[in-house]
Amino acid sequence: MNKHTFKALKLPSINAINKVLVLRAIIFFLALWSFIWSAQLFIAGNAYYSVKNSISAWQRAPEKASKEKIEQALGKIDNALRYFPENALYHQMKGQLHEWMAFSQVELTQTTGQQRPADANLRQAAFSYQKSLQLRPTWSGSWIGLASVKWKQGEVDETFYRYLEQAVSAGPQDAIVHKFFAEFGLEMFTARSIHYVTIQKKLKHHLDLGLQNPLSRDFVVEAIEKNQASDVVCRWLRASSYPVRKRIPNCISYK
């Protein structure tokens, strides 16, 4: 065997073998990390959509929002937050669940005559909304959530209106903004509250937009019917487009 043949048969060096092993280890750990991250994303995503569907069902039929179901939903969203603690949407959804828990407890106390125990959950809701906004300050849903908590606490004050202004600034076309203005504004009108005077211009604007938006349309119609405000909303929106006016109950006669 000559010198040239020996060189051709020379085994890889120790350094070369180590480099290959290190590269393989890096690839293995990257693949493992990717698998774990994908699994966590799958679990958190399933939890999110399960809770989202539950909230949608409760919005259509609030009597179905039992304490047990809300606790189960809170467990799911807490699990999602363990994997992704910096997800603003999950914190916002947790705030909604605490609002629903406060609602379910209020409903319970109305039948038992016991003292209202909802305040703790409303404080938890506000905390979750604030955490969501720390992560994403331009999230209109969380600003509306803070306003909703203030309303439920009976604190329709300067801070409440500041939250509404922030919500409109963040999402002037968002369905959740139209829905809240319709709910709050029409209740204030029905109650002949001084707050209706403060909000009346924006109420009419968001009623118009809410009836245009397919994501808020049904909710706005229900709010109009609940407050028996078809005639007055029809007058308010007399300058609106035909497609908007025809969605107001009994506003347009086809005879």
Side-chain angles (χ1 to χ4, degrees), residues 11-24:
L11 295 175
S13 67
I14 297 299
N15 285 340
I17 293 173
N18 287 340
K19 288 180 180 179
V20 171
L21 291 175
V22 169
L23 181 60
R24 287 178 177 175

Side-chain angles (χ1 to χ4, degrees), residues 126-144:
F127 176 83
S128 293
Y129 291 136
Q130 288 164 349
K131 178 63 177 179
S132 174
L133 289 167
Q134 288 173 10
L135 298 167
R136 187 171 172 178
T138 57
W139 201 302
S140 62
S142 293
W143 288 113
I144 286 294

Side-chain angles (χ1 to χ4, degrees), residues 1-12:
M1 180 180 295
N2 59 37
K3 183 169 68 173
H4 296 291
T5 304
F6 176 77
K7 286 182 178 180
L9 296 175
K10 186 170 67 173
L11 295 175

Side-chain angles (χ1 to χ4, degrees), residues 35-88:
F35 172 78
I36 293 172
W37 185 84
S38 297
Q40 291 176 344
L41 186 63
F42 177 78
I43 293 169
N46 277 353
Y48 165 75
Y49 283 107
S50 174
V51 174
K52 181 181 179 182
N53 290 337
S54 294
I55 291 175
S56 296
W58 300 337
Q59 288 172 339
R60 292 190 298 270
E63 68 277 4
K64 294 183 179 179
S66 68
K67 179 176 180 291
E68 292 73 19
K69 290 180 180 178
I70 299 168
E71 285 178 342
Q72 290 174 4
L74 278 168
K76 291 177 182 178
I77 209 66
D78 279 337
N79 192 38
L81 281 167
R82 275 194 288 272
Y83 293 127
F84 300 100
E86 302 301 304
N87 188 301

Side-chain angles (χ1 to χ4, degrees), residues 227-240:
N227 289 278
Q228 300 179 347
S230 295
D231 291 344
V232 69
V233 173
C234 188
R235 291 198 302 272
W236 289 344
L237 303 187
R238 59 181 175 271
S240 297

